Each structure stands twice: as structure tokens, then as C-alpha cells.
Amino acid sequence: MVNESSGGCCGRLHAGHDHMSKDIQDTHDASRAHTKTEIDPICGMSVDPTGAAGQYDYKGATYYFCAVSCLERFRADPERALSKKPVNLVTMPSSRKPLPMMQPTEHAEIDPVCGMTVDPATAAGRYEYQGKTYYFCALSCLARFRAHPEEVLSKKKPLPMMQPTEHAEIDPVCGMTVQPTTAAGSYEYRGERYYFCATRCLEKFRDDPEYYLLPPDQRVPKPVAVPAGGVVEYVCPMDPEVLETQPGACRICGMALEPKVVSAEDVGNPELEDMSRRFRICLGPAVLVMFIAMSDMIPGMPLHHRFGGEVLNWVQLLLATPVVLWGGAPFFQRGWASIVNHAPNMFTLIAIGTGAAFGYSILATLLPTLLPASFHRPDGTVAVYFEAAAMITVLVLLGQVLELRARSQTSSAIKSLLRLAPATARLVRPDGSEEDVPLDQVHVGDRLRVRPGERVPVDGLVVEGSTSVDESMITGESIPIAKEIGVSVTGGTMNGTGSMLMRAQRVGRETLLARIVQMVSDAQRSRAPIQRVADVAAGYFVPLVVSVAVLTALAWALWGPEPKLAYALVNAVAVLIIACPCALGLATPMSIMVGTGRGATAGVLVKKAEALEVLGKVDTIVFDKTGTLTEGKPALMTVHPTPAWSESDLLRLAASLEQGSEHPLAGAIVAGARSRKIPTVASGQFQSTTGKGVSGLVEQNSVAIGTASFLRETIGVTAGELATLEAEADRLRQEGQTVVFVAIDGKAGGLLGVADPIKASTGDAVRLLQADGLRLVMLTGDHQQTANAVGRQLGLDDVRAGVLPNQKGEVVARLKAEGRIVAMAGDGVNDAPALALADVGIAMGTGADVAIESAGMTLVKGDLRALVRARRLSKATMQNIRQNLFFAFVYNLVGVPVAAGVLYPFFGLLLSPMIASAAMTFSSVSVISNALRLRRLAL
């Protein structure tokens, strides 16, 4: 049994700890066995080299890392990492208050994965194994334990710094329990010494002590600035695991690397500039070589008679040499690298083909006597193929230019999103003065003026004024949204005709726009399962093509017409050149890249390419009710007084009393009074009876609110008075409302109906999904009567009520066991396990972070109509991928045999290597062009 509560760990404060804890534990065990450990130069943690997440050689020394993020930070700036001073360990007592989950308790448990102390009441999850219940600080620890419980329990002793001790201290940054004797470091501030679990926490505290001395719930997110002169990382579009700090070619496929993080500015593309320059310079000499080679076709052969065949061969040699050796140098370099790295690719074939043609031609020019007599023409010279080598090189250069230009357009969606953020913001200072400041100088809490027609600079709340905001660039919905005091606004959206004053809440990389850009960028580098088809084919492709080229040469040399060897060479080169593994390799990633970008502009964020592939095949969608189908915020729907009271008086007294309650229903009642402009007054003698109701004194009236049994048994309201309200209460329950009774001065005063309203967009989305033939299932913890009311309003037949949080995953598992392809849509912490278990997890962008992290897809504004758009996008993207793969396979299946000469015995047709080169270029460009059609997809 699995149960996740909303308490969770301390979340992002030590997000890095979860995935490092097992490696740390392995290191601890290894150290007891006297095995050598290394120190991660970034975070200072001990690392077992045999289980390190990565290693990096720098200046003759090898450094080991606990996580890939530490490795990447070190690789970006090794000198800075190595220049940090070692941390001193000092032991002095302290009394920092720990986070709730880590507060001392008589029944504290130890997380068996990371060794942290966990309070069962606030644990992120629990798992029963072999009759014992284990508790976990985070869902990631739970998932790791569930996958390999025996392995975890075999080394479950907590880390030394986290073992219970009478003098344990609390790390003020992440809230972890730390032993002073084994702490990673300490720092004295205002006469008190603080201890830290890792040097990273120490550095954060030392930079801003006041911030981390605040209680965790009072810390506002801090903007993350991009360091000036930061290192740009480059990634391969076909092999995203290849990551370099310099532009160049992929060591696996040979394709040009591109920046991992897209910039809004149109910065130069060094690879495109280099290929363009080589193409422009080489085009002229290649055309001259082509003209000389074809001069024999001119009536009377004037050039041949004027200069002679030998001179013309030498002229072609002089013109072709710089074209092939300088213009084609990148192709030879990549071809050689592919052989060295045992990763043959398109450039392997190009290098072999052009190299063979060029090498043979040099031999025929310099040492013609070494060739058989059948190769010689009447004048004693030998036919050369400099024009084939030169034109192949120029055409491949042209293909690279066209491909790089087309690929640059695949990131246009991210660039358009980045350009939504304005360069400046209008800052309103405390004295009321205003000035425009750069966006990177805006901090959390700043007040900003947004004038009509301007873009909202960052995420925040409206504190003055009202307006309407166009959010179509993020949500895909064209209707402007009204914004008034207390309503949130999103950075990058367009303000309408009103003026407003807002308070910044999230800036920098924490804004919704920045998170969207990051998620889309990550998704574009992920790999869809269908990519495996192309990967398997590509693995055999190059060796197979080389074998076909050799067989072609042998066949022509044995059975071809004279000159046999010349025909053998030309046709073998044509086979090598026309084959294009890049068309296969690009078929999937190009479509995924463009498709995820198109989704981002329509309010659909794809986190994993697999989700985009599977969503179109889904036949069942499971919805969590609260926050997914409904607003997730209870609202006052009905005020029904008895004849002795008016609606306004009943609501004023009830809302005044409920001001002292923290119950969600109380908040709905108070908000309902405010929305109706009904003022509240102070209350006294407030008492709360858990699970039943509240009572107190308002304007000298004794007021009680709660269940009918509470009013009858505790307050003394007669059953007869309550009976007059029961019929109305039953009617409201049939409509899906939760009913509370109100008593005033010991007599029934009326009742209030509270409900979680269905989202305005839910009805349309449900009808469209049902029309698409999908089975829709609603899960809720509500009573069956309330759940049925919601189901009736939406037209849902499969409504499952009384489902506990830990049972949602079981429902998904049962549906999958029936052979269904299941998508799960939810927004809460308790939905995370079901989201992860479903074939496709769909999170609401308005929901909890853990739900978004567990899902493969996010609907930005929680609008389910975006789910309809996501299915259309999924189907269109997969169709586009299948088109690309079909074209790539058919092109190679037809092109290679034609180049080998299978048509020659029947039609006398042979394929020139130059035409083969043009065809090869066309194949890659056509795949990219087809993928770019997704940018114009109507969703």
C-alpha cells in the first residue's frame, strides 16, 4: 500500500539530496571497508569513484561527482570550482527550529533510502514491505525503495551526520538534522554558530544569512541570475546525450551542434557561417571543373583540340584540389572521427566516396601509366572524375547550408516565447516616483506599473486598478481575461486598455514564461519510443551501404562494359553518396522539436516526447475532480434563511463568525460575503468542535454553524426546526453542494450551500473528448451523491466516489490491466503516484509542483480544452514522423539500388555521383521541411 500526503519533504530546498543519497550511502559503506573515496569539488560531498554520477579529467587530475548537475557546473568553470576554500568543521550548540517533517517526535522514523529523520504524520509517503511500514521524506525516495527494497534495506543505516544525537543541530538552509562532529561546515553569525549538511548550504547561508533565518514559509523565491560570461553548452539534435562547451560537430552522427539554451536574440550561427563561406568560395572553381569535364560534349571539342587532354586534366586537378581538400575538409574530419569513434554516419560515406573519386583522379593525372590500357583514351590520357569530387563537395556544402537554415527555424517557437518578455519594467519606488529599469533588476516584492498596450514584465498580483489581459500567447485562448485587485497576472502577457499596479511575485527563471521555455527546451531533447526504429535501422545502415558499394564495384568490374574499372568506381561512389542516414536520424527529432514548440504556443507543455507519442493512442482518461474538472476553490452558492432572517443578515452573522476558522468552507463563506459587499464584524467567544462546527458571539447574537447533528446535540436546536430545512438541504446536495446549517440564538436561522464550481471550459472539453470515442472516468473522495451531481452536469457515466488518495493509482493500474491505454489528469500532491503510473500523466499548470514533475505533459492554465488540442497535436506529430520515416526508408531503398546500376541492363540508365549528391541533399532538407509544417498546424 502506498500513501502520499501533502506534507512532503522540504521540496526544492534539497532537491539535489534525493538523487544523491544512495551514492552518499554507498560511499559511507565503502569508507568502512577502507575503500578510497573522493570529494566532489562542487558540493564537497564524499563520492565513491565506482558509483559516481560522473567524472572529469582536468589538468592531469580526475574529479568525481555526486550528480550530473555538479559535473556540468565544474565543466563550465573548473578554475572557479577549484579556487574555493575548504570548509572548517567547528562544534558548538545551536537551536534552530527544524522544518515540520524533521521536528523531534517520539515516533520518528528513518527514511531507508536517504537516512533522513521523518515524522510519520507528515511523511511524503509510506510503503509496507514484509510486514513493516517504511516512511519517506520525498516521493523520489519512495519510488527508489519501491523499485529495489532489498537493495536499499541491505545498506539502510543512516548517514553519520544524520544519526540521532543529543546535540544534533538543524541546517538553517534545508532543515536537515546535522551532527556538529560530522557537519560539512559551520558559520558564526551574530554570536551564534550554524551547522550545515553540505558546503552548498553553507555557501547559500553565508551569502544571505537573514534570508535563511526566516521561517521556510516566509521565504519568497529568489531570482536566479545568469552569470555574465557564462559558458554556452551545445547539444546534438540527433544525439542529445552529446553535450559540449564549444560549437562543432557531433562525435556520433557528425551533425553540427546547436546551443542547448535558445536565445531570444538572433545570434550568429558559426557552423552556418562557415559552411556558407566554404560554399561561396568553392562554387566558382567547381563549376569551372564541371565545364571542362563536360567540354567533350561541345561539337568539335574545341578545348580538347586546343589544350590537349593532359593539360585539361592538370587544370582540373588545380581547380578541384582546394575545393575537395579545403571546402570538404569538415566532411573528411567528421568521416575520420566517425571511424575512430566506431560510429559510422553520413560523413563516413561522403568521405569514402569523394576520397575515392579524388584519389583515383590524382593517380590518373600524375601516374597514368600505372592504370590498365583499357582506361586510356586515344590520346593516351585517362578519364578523370575531378568534377564528381568537386561537385559532390559543393552540393554537400549547399545541403548543409539549407539544412542548418531549416533547423534554425525549428526553435522559432521558443524564440517567440522568449521575445514575449519585455526588456524593461516600470518600477514604482516607495516615494511614488517611477522609472524604467532593466528586467533583470526587478526583485520579488517590487511594485510595477503596467500601462495600456504594454506586456506584463513578471508574474505577480494586481494591487491597484483593473484591466483585461490577453493571455493567448501562453494559453492559446484568444478571449482577454479580466484582471482586478488580488488577481494574478503572468509575465509576457499583453495588457489591454486599462492601467494597473502589480507586485512582483516571481522573477527571472522562476516566472511561468521562463519555466515554459525550459520545459519545452528539455522536451525537444527527449526521445520518443518510435525513435528506436530509426536508431536500430541506422545502426546497420552505414556498414550495409559500404558492403553494397563494394559489391557494386565488384559486379561492374567483373560483368560491366569497358572500361569496367571506371564504371565500377563511378557507380560505387554513387552508392556511397546517395545513401543518407541523416534522413532517418532526423525524421523523429525534427518533428518532436517543432511539435513541442507548437504545443507551447497553444497552452500545452510537453515534458517528455513519449507523452506526445502515446497521447494520441489513449482510449481512457481518468480525471481527478477537484482542481481538474472543478475550480478547486469552494465557493458560496446558496444562502437560504428562515423567515425570521434576511439573506444579508444571515450571511453577515455567519461570515463574521467564520472569520476565526481556517476550514476551507469557512473561507468560502467569508469570500461569498465580500463578493456580495456584505460587511463583517468582530466576533467573540469563538469555539470550534472538530468535524462538527463552530460557535461564538456576533453582535450580541449567539451564532452556531455546522452539521444538523451539531446544532441539535450541542446547541440545542429542536429537531422540528431543523426538519423544515432538511428538504432544501437534500435538494442542494443533489446539485453537488455541501450544506452547513446556521443557528442564531438557539434557533434555526437557515442554511448555506457551498460547492466547488465546475470550470467553465470543462463541459466543452468533456463533450469533445467523448466525441473522439474516449472513455472518461472521474475520481473523487466526495460522497457518491455529490460526485453523481457533478457527473450528471458533465455527462460522465463512470463516476467513482470515496476514492482515497492512495487508491487513485490502483484505479489506473486496474484500467491498464484491462488492456486500456490510460491518461491521468490531476493537479494535487496526492495525484502524483497515479500521474506517474499512467501511460500519460497530464498535470494542471495551476496545481502542485510535485504533480507537474510527475507528469509527462502540463496544461498551462489547467484548461481541459488544451487537452483536446494536445491530442490533435499528438496525432499530427506522429503522422508527421511516420511520413518522415516512410520517405527516408523509401528514398534509401530505391536510391541505393538505382545508384548501383540495377536499371542499366533494362534501360541503360546510370546515376551520376553528382545527381546522387543532389538527391542526398534533398532527402535531409525535405524531412526538415515536412517537420516545419507542424508550425502551421491548426489546433
Side-chain angles (χ1 to χ4, degrees), residues 687-879:
Q687 292 184 348
S688 175
T689 304
T690 303
K692 294 184 178 181
V694 295
S695 61
L697 198 63
V698 181
E699 295 180 340
Q700 303 305 312
N701 296 302
S702 177
V703 181
I705 305 173
T707 63
S709 60
F710 172 67
L711 267 59
R712 185 174 54 252
E713 298 169 4
T714 305
I715 306 302
V717 180
T718 64
E721 291 185 41
L722 292 174
T724 61
L725 298 174
E726 281 294 351
E728 178 66 14
D730 287 339
R731 185 186 69 82
L732 295 178
R733 292 190 186 103
Q734 290 291 334
E735 296 177 358
Q737 298 186 34
T738 299
V739 178
V740 293
F741 292 82
V742 182
I744 303 174
D745 296 330
K747 295 184 178 182
L751 55 82
L752 304 174
V754 177
D756 185 5
I758 296 173
K759 293 179 180 178
S761 61
T762 299
D764 291 340
V766 168
R767 284 190 292 273
L768 290 170
L769 292 170
Q770 288 176 330
D772 204 16
L774 292 172
R775 175 184 176 183
L776 306 182
V777 180
M778 185 184 83
L779 304 182
T780 177
D782 290 342
H783 294 294
Q784 190 70 52
Q785 193 176 33
T786 303
N788 288 339
V790 175
R792 281 195 302 272
Q793 292 182 57
L794 293 176
L796 299 175
D797 296 326
D798 195 343
V799 176
R800 308 189 185 190
V803 179
L804 298 176
N806 60 297
Q807 295 173 335
K808 294 179 181 179
E810 297 173 7
V811 172
V812 172
R814 283 196 297 270
L815 289 170
K816 291 178 66 176
E818 295 173 5
R820 294 187 170 274
I821 303 175
V822 182
M824 168 72 189
D827 74 322
V829 172
N830 55 20
D831 296 324
L835 290 171
L837 184 62
D839 295 296
V840 180
I842 304 166
M844 303 298 108
T846 53
D849 283 346
V850 66
I852 295 174
E853 291 295 328
S854 301
M857 188 174 290
T858 300
L859 309 183
V860 176
K861 288 294 185 179
D863 187 339
L864 288 178
R865 287 176 296 190
L867 178 54
V868 179
R869 295 194 289 270
R871 276 182 56 81
R872 292 172 184 164
L873 177 65
S874 172
K875 293 178 179 179
T877 302
M878 293 311 300
Q879 182 182 17

Side-chain angles (χ1 to χ4, degrees), residues 147-170:
H148 304 288
E150 288 294 342
E151 179 182 344
V152 173
L153 294 176
S154 66
K155 34 191 168 185
K156 65 179 183 179
K157 184 179 178 181
L159 299 177
M161 73 170 59
M162 294 183 242
Q163 291 177 357
T165 173
E166 296 180 0
H167 304 290
E169 301 291 342
I170 301 300

Side-chain angles (χ1 to χ4, degrees), residues 383-426:
V384 292
Y385 298 97
F386 287 119
E387 84 284 359
M391 288 306 296
I392 287 172
T393 300
V394 168
L395 288 171
V396 174
L397 285 170
L398 174 62
Q400 289 294 294
V401 171
L402 295 176
E403 180 182 315
L404 289 167
R405 285 181 178 174
R407 277 168 51 191
S408 67
Q409 298 179 44
T410 60
S411 60
S412 60
I414 293 183
K415 288 187 176 182
S416 65
L417 288 171
L418 288 170
R419 293 186 182 121
L420 293 178
T424 61
R426 187 75 172 175

